[in-house]
Amino acid sequence: MLTKVAFGKVKQPQPVRSQSQMSQLTSSRDLSRSNTLTEVLQTTLDTHQLLSVYAEFLKTRLDIEALQFVSDDQLFSLIGDFDQSQIQHAVMLYADQAYLGQLVYGLKRPLTVTQKLRLEQWHRELTFPLRNALKFSQLHRLAVRDHLTGLGNRALLEEVLEHLHIKQQRQKNGSHSVMLLDLDGFKDVNDEHGHQQGDDILRVFAELLRTTVRDSDQVFRFGGDEFVIVMEDTNLYQAQDVYNRIRTAVDSCDTLSRYGLSTSAGTAQLECFNTVEQSLDEADQRLYQAKHGGKNRHCGSVGCA
């Protein structure tokens, strides 16, 4: 099984029998470009793809049962799963004295001296392409994050929706929904108490959304006090359940309740025959219906509640 990736706080695998070493790649002058692995690794700046290429290369050359790459905020499971019978061989990777992360191998038996030397050479070839990919990934994440809330911004939203739209056109099935929300009464609070307090409220609401939605849902700041939730494999009835949880959380939030704020939402389903822009426009129309139908409610094509 290849390439599962997780983000956030990373739990290190628990070794039973282990070997460990520190890669001596502390300067770019150490990089050796001696065979085809380097050439293949230079073809992508996608961290996921780069590590997958490396894993496939190793599978044909070493008897590896499991392999992970662990950085400060990401974990890539590249080969198999770890178990108690394996020997774990952990290697910390550095590039120009900057720590990148560590590769953790699950092995049936200890590496021979020859295998360790070969593995160290492959680490030399991996390290600097990996450094470049991680830097590119970091820059991309910064570019698609809203600076105020830390949520994905509109650029990332459009990227995610385009991906889902293409997936839906290819598979011709599945039901994906997009929900557009805003805060009822936010403009008045913002005008009366100032933008600093308004920004604090938006951060609170963003965190509330992030912690209330399901693990499979993605939350974005659309602009101002408008937020978007992308819900894969979710119909409009299920979207209503998601909104109900959000409305309950808003009612229970001391900060939002103090200012008498509530939330309204509109949801549209992604359709093969509609563009992403049309789906967002439909969600916006449903939000308009919710606002003008009494606020603190959710509207989809099946009605408002």
Side-chain angles (χ1 to χ4, degrees):
M1 180 176 60
L2 294 179
T3 59
K4 289 183 179 178
V5 57
F7 296 90
K9 187 175 181 180
V10 172
K11 181 180 180 181
Q12 300 283 357
Q14 300 298 318
V16 177
R17 298 176 293 157
S18 66
Q19 303 171 319
S20 63
Q21 69 185 72
M22 180 182 295
S23 174
Q24 297 303 310
L25 300 175
T26 56
S27 169
S28 56
R29 292 190 298 273
D30 291 333
L31 182 60
S32 171
R33 302 171 182 271
S34 60
N35 66 30
T36 56
L37 176 60
T38 299
E39 297 175 2
V40 175
L41 293 175
Q42 296 286 359
T43 62
T44 180
L45 282 172
D46 182 274
T47 307
H48 188 164
Q49 185 176 1
L50 183 86
L51 290 167
S52 297
V53 168
Y54 176 75
E56 289 292 344
F57 177 87
L58 257 64
K59 281 178 66 178
T60 62
R61 290 162 175 81
L62 286 178
D63 187 12
I64 298 174
E65 294 187 322
L67 175 61
Q68 289 182 341
F69 174 75
V70 185
S71 68
D72 290 337
D73 62 349
Q74 299 181 65
L75 184 151
F76 294 84
S77 294
L78 302 164
I79 299 174
D81 297 305
F82 290 89
D83 63 47
Q84 297 294 311
S85 66
Q86 295 167 353
I87 293 172
Q88 290 193 7
H89 180 75
V91 181
M92 293 182 288
L93 298 181
Y94 288 81
D96 291 328
Q97 301 182 7
Y99 175 68
L100 304 180
Q102 66 174 318
L103 287 165
V104 185
Y105 297 86
L107 308 165
K108 286 184 178 179
R109 57 189 64 86
L111 295 171
T112 66
V113 173
T114 300
Q115 288 174 329
K116 286 183 179 180
L117 291 173
R118 288 176 180 170
L119 196 58
E120 175 65 12
Q121 174 59 32
W122 295 331
H123 292 156
R124 290 175 181 272
E125 298 179 56
L126 170 67
T127 298
F128 287 95
L130 178 59
R131 178 196 63 180
N132 295 338
L134 290 172
K135 284 186 175 180
F136 180 80
S137 176
Q138 182 183 33
L139 289 172
H140 179 263
R141 277 186 279 173
L142 289 173
V144 296
R145 291 292 161 189
D146 174 59
H147 73 281
L148 178 66
T149 64
L151 298 176
N153 63 15
R154 189 163 182 166
L156 182 59
L157 168 65
E158 292 174 355
E159 190 176 305
V160 168
L161 288 177
E162 285 293 347
H163 172 76
L164 270 182
H165 186 58
I166 293 170
K167 177 181 176 181
Q168 194 169 37
Q169 287 180 319
R170 183 173 62 248
Q171 296 179 342
K172 302 299 183 184
N173 59 19
S175 178
H176 312 306
S177 298
V178 55
M179 180 184 294
L180 182 62
L181 312 90
D182 74 1
L183 283 168
D184 303 321
F186 174 77
K187 184 180 183 303
D188 292 338
V189 173
N190 197 45
D191 291 343
E192 181 179 348
H193 296 277
H195 294 293
Q196 183 60 56
Q197 186 61 50
D199 287 349
D200 290 342
I201 289 171
L202 292 177
R203 280 190 284 263
V204 168
F205 186 54
E207 184 61 22
L208 181 148
L209 293 176
R210 186 176 6 227
T211 57
T212 304
V213 299
R214 305 165 303 179
D215 291 341
S216 58
D217 300 332
Q218 300 182 69
V219 186
F220 306 85
R221 186 182 179 198
F222 197 59
D225 66 321
E226 290 188 327
F227 295 80
V228 170
I229 303 173
V230 176
M231 299 168 284
E232 294 190 47
D233 301 316
T234 301
N235 60 37
L236 292 173
Y237 293 99
Q238 293 167 321
Q240 179 66 47
D241 291 336
V242 173
Y243 172 77
N244 288 341
R245 287 201 302 274
I246 294 170
R247 180 165 58 184
T248 299
V250 169
D251 290 342
S252 303
C253 177
D254 291 340
T255 300
L256 301 181
S257 297
R258 185 184 312 138
Y259 295 101
L261 297 172
S262 59
T263 184
S264 296
T267 297
Q269 284 197 264
L270 297 179
E271 304 288 357
C272 296
F273 48 81
N274 282 341
T275 65
V276 167
E277 291 76 13
Q278 287 172 325
S279 296
L280 285 171
D281 285 345
E282 183 179 345
D284 188 46
Q285 292 170 15
R286 304 299 182 197
L287 174 58
Y288 180 85
Q289 291 178 7
K291 301 288 281 187
H292 288 266
K295 301 182 180 180
N296 196 29
R297 62 175 55 198
H298 168 252
C299 288
S301 61
V302 294
C304 297

